[in-house]
Amino acid sequence: MLLDFLMSYLKFFVSMLIYRHISRQEFTLRWLFLCPFLFAIIFTLVPPVGFFGYFLVFIAYSFYRNRNIRHLLNIFYGLYPVVMESLIGRLLAFYVFPMLGIVLVHESSVSWYDALLELLVFPVYIGITKLLKLDFTDLKVGFQRQYFNRFLLPMDLSMFVYLLSVVGLVVFEDIIPHADALRKQLNSIYLILFFVMLLYFNAVSKERLKQEILEQKDRQLQELATYSQHVEIDRKST
């Protein structure tokens, strides 16, 4: 019971950190520690509510905080931390821990190794984003300026499909042949695909923002040249 409570707390806490990183919305320290505690209580007392609520709470919060941005972007912000926590956690469980000789217990049960894994998710996530040089400040500006309108819907749908597939493979693993292997393959494929999409968004944002800065400088130089011409004409006329 205590270990289940701790795992629920850590999962929600890590997801909040990832949400803050992608959305650039700060949480006060009180809420950063209190919200995971409340979630862990709900998950412990009413597991189905906690389980399904975890997939929806960040979407609901995004809609609450960001009423003036596109719905698809709110959905992206809401699904991103849940998907990323899942991808990085399974990356550690399927590849990193086995290479270190650490064998995790079955996914339907919880061990202290799972708690250690959860503690490593956010540092590994930050390490990967820094290694790939993902700038989420530029990325957020790109989203707000609607550089990726045609890509947001496929991105959101892909995250929904990934989460539904993972949940289905966990819930129905007894009746789905080779469910563990399928989860591993799904995680590997979508992890690569997801970061490729983020890299594309990041590159487009940087390029478009750089182009806008250059265009702004050109306008300023043109306005300065025009002003100088007017000043020269006025000087000669006097």
Side-chain angles (χ1 to χ4, degrees), residues 11-24 27 54 58 77 80-86 88 118 121-122 125-126 136:
K11 180 181 286 289
F12 200 85
F13 180 75
V14 168
S15 297
M16 285 186 70
L17 293 178
I18 296 175
Y19 178 86
R20 183 178 66 173
H21 187 254
I22 181 65
S23 67
R24 290 300 192 255
F27 298 106
Y54 171 67
F58 292 104
Y77 284 151
Y80 181 90
V82 180
V83 169
M84 190 58 70
E85 187 277 335
S86 173
I88 301 299
E118 199 66 44
V121 167
F122 188 68
Y125 162 72
I126 293 297
F136 287 91

Side-chain angles (χ1 to χ4, degrees), residues 1-14 85 88-89 92-93 97 102-107 109-124:
M1 179 72 74
L2 177 61
L3 190 53
D4 289 334
F5 183 89
L6 176 62
M7 281 300 302
S8 300
Y9 182 95
L10 290 175
K11 180 181 286 289
F12 200 85
F13 180 75
V14 168
E85 187 277 335
I88 301 299
L92 292 170
F97 274 31
I102 301 174
V103 180
L104 297 178
V105 182
H106 199 268
E107 191 166 352
S109 59
V110 177
S111 71
W112 289 105
Y113 285 126
D114 295 288
L116 173 62
L117 183 151
E118 199 66 44
L119 286 171
L120 292 174
V121 167
F122 188 68
V124 171

Side-chain angles (χ1 to χ4, degrees), residues 51-73:
F51 180 80
F52 289 106
Y54 171 67
F55 295 102
L56 300 174
V57 64
F58 292 104
I59 296 177
Y61 181 75
S62 291
F63 275 94
Y64 170 73
R65 282 295 302 269
N66 308 303
R67 297 182 180 89
N68 298 322
I69 67 175
R70 298 184 63 208
H71 293 339
L72 289 175
L73 183 54

Side-chain angles (χ1 to χ4, degrees), residues 14-236:
V14 168
S15 297
M16 285 186 70
L17 293 178
I18 296 175
Y19 178 86
R20 183 178 66 173
H21 187 254
I22 181 65
S23 67
R24 290 300 192 255
Q25 293 181 358
E26 292 294 332
F27 298 106
T28 63
L29 286 178
R30 179 182 65 178
W31 288 110
L32 188 59
F33 289 97
L34 180 59
C35 287
F37 183 78
L38 295 175
F39 169 78
I41 291 177
I42 294 173
F43 190 86
T44 302
L45 296 178
V46 193
V49 175
F51 180 80
F52 289 106
Y54 171 67
F55 295 102
L56 300 174
V57 64
F58 292 104
I59 296 177
Y61 181 75
S62 291
F63 275 94
Y64 170 73
R65 282 295 302 269
N66 308 303
R67 297 182 180 89
N68 298 322
I69 67 175
R70 298 184 63 208
H71 293 339
L72 289 175
L73 183 54
N74 278 324
I75 293 173
F76 173 82
Y77 284 151
L79 289 177
Y80 181 90
V82 180
V83 169
M84 190 58 70
E85 187 277 335
S86 173
L87 288 172
I88 301 299
R90 287 180 168 82
L91 172 68
L92 292 170
F94 291 147
Y95 298 102
V96 178
F97 274 31
M99 286 191 299
L100 298 176
I102 301 174
V103 180
L104 297 178
V105 182
H106 199 268
E107 191 166 352
S108 60
S109 59
V110 177
S111 71
W112 289 105
Y113 285 126
D114 295 288
L116 173 62
L117 183 151
E118 199 66 44
L119 286 171
L120 292 174
V121 167
F122 188 68
V124 171
Y125 162 72
I126 293 297
I128 292 175
T129 57
K130 288 186 178 297
L131 180 65
L132 297 177
K133 298 181 179 180
L134 292 171
D135 189 333
F136 287 91
T137 300
D138 287 348
L139 197 61
K140 183 175 182 179
V141 174
F143 280 128
Q144 291 175 338
R145 297 188 182 181
Q146 301 184 6
Y147 294 162
F148 317 111
N149 280 352
R150 59 179 178 174
F151 295 107
L152 268 179
L153 179 58
M155 187 76 163
D156 290 348
L157 287 175
S158 74
M159 288 192 285
F160 268 120
V161 171
Y162 167 78
L163 290 174
L164 287 175
S165 300
V166 169
V167 171
L169 289 170
V170 172
V171 174
F172 302 106
E173 60 182 347
D174 292 334
I175 60 177
I176 298 177
H178 311 295
D180 289 339
L182 289 174
R183 277 200 305 270
K184 185 175 181 179
Q185 293 173 2
L186 173 64
N187 188 85
S188 301
I189 294 171
Y190 193 68
L191 180 69
I192 295 172
L193 177 63
F194 196 68
F195 275 106
V196 166
M197 289 188 287
L198 288 178
L199 284 169
Y200 172 76
F201 289 164
N202 190 66
V204 170
S205 292
K206 285 182 178 296
E207 184 62 30
R208 293 285 294 273
L209 291 173
K210 181 180 178 181
Q211 185 64 33
E212 287 182 9
I213 292 173
L214 292 175
E215 291 175 355
Q216 184 179 8
K217 288 182 178 179
D218 289 341
R219 286 195 300 269
Q220 291 173 344
L221 290 173
Q222 183 64 39
E223 290 171 359
L224 181 61
T226 303
Y227 175 75
S228 299
Q229 290 176 358
H230 285 306
V231 171
E232 182 65 21
I233 293 174
D234 292 341
R235 187 182 65 81
K236 290 181 178 180

